[in-house]
Amino acid sequence: MLSIERSAYFVPDTRFVVQTDLARFNINAAQAKVFTKIYGLNQIPYAKDISVTDLIEKSVSKLFVDGTVRKQDIKFIIHAHTAKVITRFGQSVIREVKSRLGLLSATAFGTSLNNCASTLNAFEMAAMLLTCQDKTAKAIIVTGEMAFTPTVQVIPNTSITGDAAAAVVVSLNDHNNKLLALEINTYGKYSRGIWLSEEESKDFEKRYVPLLGETINKVVEKTGLSLSDIKMILPHNVNLISWAKLAKHIDYPLANIYLENISKYGHCFGADILINFTDVQSRQLLNKGDYYLMVTVGLGATFAAAVFKY
């Protein structure tokens, strides 16, 4: 059973402010007010004078700070990202990170299969790959990229994305943060993502909460638990209003959905759920034996949820 052993993230200190940096986001003051007052977005991190490779390296390197994770035990590095192209053609960001950090025993590759939901796809991949390794084997799942154009940065009527990277070490032999069940559902009729027609976009917005609620209920049912057994939901930070609607739809306490980072970081692609996990751990908001969910959605459209036991 796959477990999370360590986690870390890096968010740049530099920020755009939604209400004032209108030109950056190509929005007007009225749109900015919607993003801040209704969606809960305030500051958006951006990486100044560093590359996407640097961004990812900074998060992965934190996993080795105290020496408890041995580099020779890392057999796989899986980079989950949203944009299909995140650097210049011919360059492999994750192989460069592997080389810089001396992770010589690892096979490194990337996946953008389900956009922002690719992070949970990577957990599934890691579990399968590690079954063929010895007991000491571990994998790193890292997600990180930059919002390098307005098209990538602003999701109309939904969210604004920021620059960040987050990473976890996973193995099959730890006893904490065990992955109990995973549910990934893809709805191809929305495959055009941000290029959906107006009619298609309205249909997606209408079905978003019911489809997400269905995915959550399915993954909880797989474990034999009920929603009342789930101590906390660690969400993607798309906006506040969608999670308020979801909480009402599934009759789950909004206070138990960790939403504190939406105003600070915006939506940092697939890194959101790992950033939230790291913060919840550091704040000791979960106790031994608690059940929690990681929940994310990738445009295209993929709804994904996973149940873990702390």
PDB file of all heavy atoms in Angstrom, residues 3-8 59-60 63 74 76 78 119 123 139-143 166-170 273-275 277-278 294:
ATOM      1  N   SER A   3       2.429   4.837   0.586  1.00  0.00           N
ATOM      2  CA  SER A   3       2.389   5.790   1.690  1.00  0.00           C
ATOM      3  C   SER A   3       3.252   7.006   1.366  1.00  0.00           C
ATOM      4  O   SER A   3       4.256   6.895   0.657  1.00  0.00           O
ATOM      5  CB  SER A   3       2.915   5.152   2.979  1.00  0.00           C
ATOM      6  OG  SER A   3       2.111   4.066   3.378  1.00  0.00           O
ATOM      7  N   ILE A   4       2.857   8.139   1.906  1.00  0.00           N
ATOM      8  CA  ILE A   4       3.658   9.359   1.786  1.00  0.00           C
ATOM      9  C   ILE A   4       4.597   9.435   2.981  1.00  0.00           C
ATOM     10  O   ILE A   4       4.154   9.440   4.133  1.00  0.00           O
ATOM     11  CB  ILE A   4       2.770  10.615   1.750  1.00  0.00           C
ATOM     12  CG1 ILE A   4       1.788  10.553   0.581  1.00  0.00           C
ATOM     13  CG2 ILE A   4       3.631  11.876   1.656  1.00  0.00           C
ATOM     14  CD1 ILE A   4       0.770  11.686   0.579  1.00  0.00           C
ATOM     15  N   GLU A   5       5.903   9.490   2.718  1.00  0.00           N
ATOM     16  CA  GLU A   5       6.885   9.559   3.795  1.00  0.00           C
ATOM     17  C   GLU A   5       7.288  10.991   4.135  1.00  0.00           C
ATOM     18  O   GLU A   5       7.479  11.327   5.300  1.00  0.00           O
ATOM     19  CB  GLU A   5       8.135   8.761   3.417  1.00  0.00           C
ATOM     20  CG  GLU A   5       7.911   7.262   3.340  1.00  0.00           C
ATOM     21  CD  GLU A   5       9.219   6.498   3.254  1.00  0.00           C
ATOM     22  OE1 GLU A   5      10.305   7.122   3.363  1.00  0.00           O
ATOM     23  OE2 GLU A   5       9.169   5.271   3.077  1.00  0.00           O
ATOM     24  N   ARG A   6       7.471  11.812   3.111  1.00  0.00           N
ATOM     25  CA  ARG A   6       7.901  13.195   3.327  1.00  0.00           C
ATOM     26  C   ARG A   6       7.262  14.089   2.276  1.00  0.00           C
ATOM     27  O   ARG A   6       6.914  13.622   1.182  1.00  0.00           O
ATOM     28  CB  ARG A   6       9.428  13.331   3.237  1.00  0.00           C
ATOM     29  CG  ARG A   6      10.186  12.625   4.336  1.00  0.00           C
ATOM     30  CD  ARG A   6      11.680  12.923   4.236  1.00  0.00           C
ATOM     31  NE  ARG A   6      11.977  14.325   4.478  1.00  0.00           N
ATOM     32  CZ  ARG A   6      12.088  14.868   5.688  1.00  0.00           C
ATOM     33  NH1 ARG A   6      11.912  14.120   6.766  1.00  0.00           N
ATOM     34  NH2 ARG A   6      12.374  16.142   5.838  1.00  0.00           N
ATOM     35  N   SER A   7       7.156  15.366   2.595  1.00  0.00           N
ATOM     36  CA  SER A   7       6.634  16.321   1.615  1.00  0.00           C
ATOM     37  C   SER A   7       7.328  17.665   1.794  1.00  0.00           C
ATOM     38  O   SER A   7       7.848  17.983   2.873  1.00  0.00           O
ATOM     39  CB  SER A   7       5.118  16.488   1.769  1.00  0.00           C
ATOM     40  OG  SER A   7       4.803  17.119   3.001  1.00  0.00           O
ATOM     41  N   ALA A   8       7.331  18.439   0.725  1.00  0.00           N
ATOM     42  CA  ALA A   8       7.937  19.773   0.769  1.00  0.00           C
ATOM     43  C   ALA A   8       7.412  20.575  -0.412  1.00  0.00           C
ATOM     44  O   ALA A   8       6.930  20.008  -1.399  1.00  0.00           O
ATOM     45  CB  ALA A   8       9.463  19.680   0.710  1.00  0.00           C
ATOM     46  N   SER A  59      12.022  22.565  -4.558  1.00  0.00           N
ATOM     47  CA  SER A  59      11.082  21.761  -3.771  1.00  0.00           C
ATOM     48  C   SER A  59      11.639  20.363  -3.510  1.00  0.00           C
ATOM     49  O   SER A  59      11.574  19.856  -2.387  1.00  0.00           O
ATOM     50  CB  SER A  59       9.724  21.678  -4.470  1.00  0.00           C
ATOM     51  OG  SER A  59       9.795  20.930  -5.664  1.00  0.00           O
ATOM     52  N   VAL A  60      12.206  19.731  -4.532  1.00  0.00           N
ATOM     53  CA  VAL A  60      12.721  18.367  -4.375  1.00  0.00           C
ATOM     54  C   VAL A  60      13.897  18.332  -3.401  1.00  0.00           C
ATOM     55  O   VAL A  60      14.013  17.416  -2.571  1.00  0.00           O
ATOM     56  CB  VAL A  60      13.132  17.776  -5.743  1.00  0.00           C
ATOM     57  CG1 VAL A  60      13.773  16.399  -5.566  1.00  0.00           C
ATOM     58  CG2 VAL A  60      11.918  17.670  -6.663  1.00  0.00           C
ATOM     59  N   LEU A  63      13.419  17.671   0.345  1.00  0.00           N
ATOM     60  CA  LEU A  63      13.106  16.320   0.822  1.00  0.00           C
ATOM     61  C   LEU A  63      14.311  15.644   1.473  1.00  0.00           C
ATOM     62  O   LEU A  63      14.157  14.693   2.242  1.00  0.00           O
ATOM     63  CB  LEU A  63      12.611  15.453  -0.339  1.00  0.00           C
ATOM     64  CG  LEU A  63      11.336  15.918  -1.053  1.00  0.00           C
ATOM     65  CD1 LEU A  63      11.096  15.062  -2.293  1.00  0.00           C
ATOM     66  CD2 LEU A  63      10.131  15.855  -0.121  1.00  0.00           C
ATOM     67  N   ILE A  74      15.944   6.281  -4.068  1.00  0.00           N
ATOM     68  CA  ILE A  74      14.975   6.868  -5.002  1.00  0.00           C
ATOM     69  C   ILE A  74      15.129   6.188  -6.363  1.00  0.00           C
ATOM     70  O   ILE A  74      16.134   6.354  -7.047  1.00  0.00           O
ATOM     71  CB  ILE A  74      15.170   8.389  -5.143  1.00  0.00           C
ATOM     72  CG1 ILE A  74      15.101   9.074  -3.772  1.00  0.00           C
ATOM     73  CG2 ILE A  74      14.129   8.961  -6.100  1.00  0.00           C
ATOM     74  CD1 ILE A  74      13.781   8.903  -3.053  1.00  0.00           C
ATOM     75  N   PHE A  76      12.450   6.185  -8.774  1.00  0.00           N
ATOM     76  CA  PHE A  76      11.646   6.859  -9.796  1.00  0.00           C
ATOM     77  C   PHE A  76      11.393   8.307  -9.380  1.00  0.00           C
ATOM     78  O   PHE A  76      11.191   8.598  -8.198  1.00  0.00           O
ATOM     79  CB  PHE A  76      10.296   6.156  -9.996  1.00  0.00           C
ATOM     80  CG  PHE A  76      10.417   4.713 -10.397  1.00  0.00           C
ATOM     81  CD1 PHE A  76      10.297   3.705  -9.448  1.00  0.00           C
ATOM     82  CD2 PHE A  76      10.665   4.360 -11.720  1.00  0.00           C
ATOM     83  CE1 PHE A  76      10.422   2.373  -9.804  1.00  0.00           C
ATOM     84  CE2 PHE A  76      10.794   3.033 -12.084  1.00  0.00           C
ATOM     85  CZ  PHE A  76      10.676   2.034 -11.125  1.00  0.00           C
ATOM     86  N   ILE A  78       8.721  11.147 -10.748  1.00  0.00           N
ATOM     87  CA  ILE A  78       7.593  11.376 -11.652  1.00  0.00           C
ATOM     88  C   ILE A  78       7.196  12.844 -11.569  1.00  0.00           C
ATOM     89  O   ILE A  78       6.801  13.332 -10.506  1.00  0.00           O
ATOM     90  CB  ILE A  78       6.392  10.488 -11.282  1.00  0.00           C
ATOM     91  CG1 ILE A  78       6.811   9.017 -11.210  1.00  0.00           C
ATOM     92  CG2 ILE A  78       5.266  10.672 -12.297  1.00  0.00           C
ATOM     93  CD1 ILE A  78       5.729   8.093 -10.672  1.00  0.00           C
ATOM     94  N   THR A 119      -1.439  14.850 -10.865  1.00  0.00           N
ATOM     95  CA  THR A 119      -0.761  14.569  -9.598  1.00  0.00           C
ATOM     96  C   THR A 119      -1.248  13.256  -9.000  1.00  0.00           C
ATOM     97  O   THR A 119      -0.446  12.429  -8.552  1.00  0.00           O
ATOM     98  CB  THR A 119      -0.984  15.717  -8.600  1.00  0.00           C
ATOM     99  OG1 THR A 119      -0.625  16.956  -9.219  1.00  0.00           O
ATOM    100  CG2 THR A 119      -0.145  15.521  -7.350  1.00  0.00           C
ATOM    101  N   PHE A 123       0.433   9.151  -8.357  1.00  0.00           N
ATOM    102  CA  PHE A 123       0.385   8.235  -7.212  1.00  0.00           C
ATOM    103  C   PHE A 123       0.091   6.813  -7.692  1.00  0.00           C
ATOM    104  O   PHE A 123       0.693   5.843  -7.221  1.00  0.00           O
ATOM    105  CB  PHE A 123      -0.682   8.683  -6.213  1.00  0.00           C
ATOM    106  CG  PHE A 123      -0.225   9.748  -5.263  1.00  0.00           C
ATOM    107  CD1 PHE A 123      -0.284  11.086  -5.606  1.00  0.00           C
ATOM    108  CD2 PHE A 123       0.278   9.409  -4.015  1.00  0.00           C
ATOM    109  CE1 PHE A 123       0.141  12.074  -4.731  1.00  0.00           C
ATOM    110  CE2 PHE A 123       0.710  10.389  -3.124  1.00  0.00           C
ATOM    111  CZ  PHE A 123       0.641  11.729  -3.488  1.00  0.00           C
ATOM    112  N   ALA A 139       9.895   6.460  -4.402  1.00  0.00           N
ATOM    113  CA  ALA A 139       9.706   7.306  -5.581  1.00  0.00           C
ATOM    114  C   ALA A 139       9.429   8.730  -5.124  1.00  0.00           C
ATOM    115  O   ALA A 139       8.930   8.956  -4.014  1.00  0.00           O
ATOM    116  CB  ALA A 139       8.550   6.795  -6.436  1.00  0.00           C
ATOM    117  N   ILE A 140       9.775   9.661  -5.972  1.00  0.00           N
ATOM    118  CA  ILE A 140       9.425  11.067  -5.747  1.00  0.00           C
ATOM    119  C   ILE A 140       8.363  11.455  -6.764  1.00  0.00           C
ATOM    120  O   ILE A 140       8.516  11.198  -7.962  1.00  0.00           O
ATOM    121  CB  ILE A 140      10.648  11.987  -5.896  1.00  0.00           C
ATOM    122  CG1 ILE A 140      11.626  11.769  -4.743  1.00  0.00           C
ATOM    123  CG2 ILE A 140      10.221  13.456  -5.946  1.00  0.00           C
ATOM    124  CD1 ILE A 140      12.934  12.528  -4.899  1.00  0.00           C
ATOM    125  N   ILE A 141       7.290  12.035  -6.269  1.00  0.00           N
ATOM    126  CA  ILE A 141       6.284  12.650  -7.131  1.00  0.00           C
ATOM    127  C   ILE A 141       6.440  14.152  -6.960  1.00  0.00           C
ATOM    128  O   ILE A 141       6.370  14.669  -5.838  1.00  0.00           O
ATOM    129  CB  ILE A 141       4.862  12.210  -6.746  1.00  0.00           C
ATOM    130  CG1 ILE A 141       4.696  10.704  -6.945  1.00  0.00           C
ATOM    131  CG2 ILE A 141       3.817  12.978  -7.555  1.00  0.00           C
ATOM    132  CD1 ILE A 141       3.422  10.143  -6.334  1.00  0.00           C
ATOM    133  N   VAL A 142       6.687  14.845  -8.047  1.00  0.00           N
ATOM    134  CA  VAL A 142       6.861  16.293  -7.974  1.00  0.00           C
ATOM    135  C   VAL A 142       5.963  16.949  -9.010  1.00  0.00           C
ATOM    136  O   VAL A 142       5.770  16.431 -10.110  1.00  0.00           O
ATOM    137  CB  VAL A 142       8.339  16.702  -8.187  1.00  0.00           C
ATOM    138  CG1 VAL A 142       8.861  16.242  -9.541  1.00  0.00           C
ATOM    139  CG2 VAL A 142       8.517  18.206  -8.022  1.00  0.00           C
ATOM    140  N   THR A 143       5.386  18.053  -8.636  1.00  0.00           N
ATOM    141  CA  THR A 143       4.567  18.814  -9.567  1.00  0.00           C
ATOM    142  C   THR A 143       4.965  20.270  -9.471  1.00  0.00           C
ATOM    143  O   THR A 143       5.125  20.809  -8.378  1.00  0.00           O
ATOM    144  CB  THR A 143       3.067  18.621  -9.281  1.00  0.00           C
ATOM    145  OG1 THR A 143       2.307  19.416 -10.185  1.00  0.00           O
ATOM    146  CG2 THR A 143       2.708  18.956  -7.849  1.00  0.00           C
ATOM    147  N   ALA A 166       5.835  21.417  -5.692  1.00  0.00           N
ATOM    148  CA  ALA A 166       5.685  20.617  -4.473  1.00  0.00           C
ATOM    149  C   ALA A 166       6.093  19.185  -4.769  1.00  0.00           C
ATOM    150  O   ALA A 166       5.955  18.713  -5.902  1.00  0.00           O
ATOM    151  CB  ALA A 166       4.244  20.667  -3.971  1.00  0.00           C
ATOM    152  N   ALA A 167       6.592  18.496  -3.747  1.00  0.00           N
ATOM    153  CA  ALA A 167       7.099  17.136  -3.952  1.00  0.00           C
ATOM    154  C   ALA A 167       6.825  16.268  -2.732  1.00  0.00           C
ATOM    155  O   ALA A 167       6.768  16.763  -1.602  1.00  0.00           O
ATOM    156  CB  ALA A 167       8.602  17.174  -4.240  1.00  0.00           C
ATOM    157  N   VAL A 168       6.663  14.976  -2.981  1.00  0.00           N
ATOM    158  CA  VAL A 168       6.523  13.994  -1.903  1.00  0.00           C
ATOM    159  C   VAL A 168       7.405  12.789  -2.198  1.00  0.00           C
ATOM    160  O   VAL A 168       7.659  12.458  -3.360  1.00  0.00           O
ATOM    161  CB  VAL A 168       5.060  13.517  -1.725  1.00  0.00           C
ATOM    162  CG1 VAL A 168       4.183  14.635  -1.193  1.00  0.00           C
ATOM    163  CG2 VAL A 168       4.494  12.962  -3.027  1.00  0.00           C
ATOM    164  N   VAL A 169       7.875  12.149  -1.130  1.00  0.00           N
ATOM    165  CA  VAL A 169       8.529  10.847  -1.230  1.00  0.00           C
ATOM    166  C   VAL A 169       7.491   9.797  -0.868  1.00  0.00           C
ATOM    167  O   VAL A 169       6.820   9.913   0.170  1.00  0.00           O
ATOM    168  CB  VAL A 169       9.731  10.736  -0.270  1.00  0.00           C
ATOM    169  CG1 VAL A 169      10.309   9.320  -0.302  1.00  0.00           C
ATOM    170  CG2 VAL A 169      10.804  11.748  -0.635  1.00  0.00           C
ATOM    171  N   VAL A 170       7.338   8.790  -1.715  1.00  0.00           N
ATOM    172  CA  VAL A 170       6.372   7.724  -1.445  1.00  0.00           C
ATOM    173  C   VAL A 170       7.074   6.370  -1.479  1.00  0.00           C
ATOM    174  O   VAL A 170       8.102   6.194  -2.141  1.00  0.00           O
ATOM    175  CB  VAL A 170       5.209   7.736  -2.462  1.00  0.00           C
ATOM    176  CG1 VAL A 170       4.404   9.021  -2.340  1.00  0.00           C
ATOM    177  CG2 VAL A 170       5.712   7.557  -3.888  1.00  0.00           C
ATOM    178  N   ILE A 273      -2.685  20.388  -4.015  1.00  0.00           N
ATOM    179  CA  ILE A 273      -3.028  19.379  -3.006  1.00  0.00           C
ATOM    180  C   ILE A 273      -1.814  18.984  -2.174  1.00  0.00           C
ATOM    181  O   ILE A 273      -1.946  18.673  -0.983  1.00  0.00           O
ATOM    182  CB  ILE A 273      -3.698  18.136  -3.633  1.00  0.00           C
ATOM    183  CG1 ILE A 273      -2.845  17.537  -4.754  1.00  0.00           C
ATOM    184  CG2 ILE A 273      -5.092  18.473  -4.133  1.00  0.00           C
ATOM    185  CD1 ILE A 273      -3.412  16.261  -5.352  1.00  0.00           C
ATOM    186  N   LEU A 274      -0.622  19.022  -2.772  1.00  0.00           N
ATOM    187  CA  LEU A 274       0.585  18.672  -2.021  1.00  0.00           C
ATOM    188  C   LEU A 274       1.021  19.827  -1.119  1.00  0.00           C
ATOM    189  O   LEU A 274       1.538  19.599  -0.018  1.00  0.00           O
ATOM    190  CB  LEU A 274       1.711  18.278  -2.974  1.00  0.00           C
ATOM    191  CG  LEU A 274       1.415  17.105  -3.914  1.00  0.00           C
ATOM    192  CD1 LEU A 274       2.669  16.718  -4.694  1.00  0.00           C
ATOM    193  CD2 LEU A 274       0.874  15.901  -3.147  1.00  0.00           C
ATOM    194  N   ILE A 275       0.821  21.057  -1.572  1.00  0.00           N
ATOM    195  CA  ILE A 275       1.081  22.220  -0.715  1.00  0.00           C
ATOM    196  C   ILE A 275       0.155  22.180   0.498  1.00  0.00           C
ATOM    197  O   ILE A 275       0.586  22.364   1.644  1.00  0.00           O
ATOM    198  CB  ILE A 275       0.884  23.531  -1.502  1.00  0.00           C
ATOM    199  CG1 ILE A 275       1.993  23.698  -2.549  1.00  0.00           C
ATOM    200  CG2 ILE A 275       0.859  24.735  -0.558  1.00  0.00           C
ATOM    201  CD1 ILE A 275       1.773  24.864  -3.498  1.00  0.00           C
ATOM    202  N   PHE A 277      -1.358  19.584   1.778  1.00  0.00           N
ATOM    203  CA  PHE A 277      -0.976  18.457   2.636  1.00  0.00           C
ATOM    204  C   PHE A 277       0.200  18.837   3.534  1.00  0.00           C
ATOM    205  O   PHE A 277       0.195  18.556   4.744  1.00  0.00           O
ATOM    206  CB  PHE A 277      -0.610  17.243   1.779  1.00  0.00           C
ATOM    207  CG  PHE A 277       0.036  16.128   2.549  1.00  0.00           C
ATOM    208  CD1 PHE A 277      -0.714  15.329   3.395  1.00  0.00           C
ATOM    209  CD2 PHE A 277       1.397  15.888   2.441  1.00  0.00           C
ATOM    210  CE1 PHE A 277      -0.119  14.304   4.123  1.00  0.00           C
ATOM    211  CE2 PHE A 277       2.003  14.868   3.156  1.00  0.00           C
ATOM    212  CZ  PHE A 277       1.240  14.078   4.003  1.00  0.00           C
ATOM    213  N   THR A 278       1.208  19.463   2.962  1.00  0.00           N
ATOM    214  CA  THR A 278       2.394  19.849   3.730  1.00  0.00           C
ATOM    215  C   THR A 278       2.034  20.828   4.842  1.00  0.00           C
ATOM    216  O   THR A 278       2.503  20.705   5.982  1.00  0.00           O
ATOM    217  CB  THR A 278       3.453  20.467   2.799  1.00  0.00           C
ATOM    218  OG1 THR A 278       3.752  19.542   1.751  1.00  0.00           O
ATOM    219  CG2 THR A 278       4.729  20.793   3.556  1.00  0.00           C
ATOM    220  N   MET A 294      -7.594  13.862  -0.712  1.00  0.00           N
ATOM    221  CA  MET A 294      -7.028  14.818  -1.653  1.00  0.00           C
ATOM    222  C   MET A 294      -7.957  14.836  -2.851  1.00  0.00           C
ATOM    223  O   MET A 294      -8.317  13.773  -3.376  1.00  0.00           O
ATOM    224  CB  MET A 294      -5.621  14.413  -2.088  1.00  0.00           C
ATOM    225  CG  MET A 294      -4.561  14.548  -1.018  1.00  0.00           C
ATOM    226  SD  MET A 294      -2.904  14.259  -1.718  1.00  0.00           S
ATOM    227  CE  MET A 294      -1.906  14.277  -0.224  1.00  0.00           C
TER     228      MET A 294
END
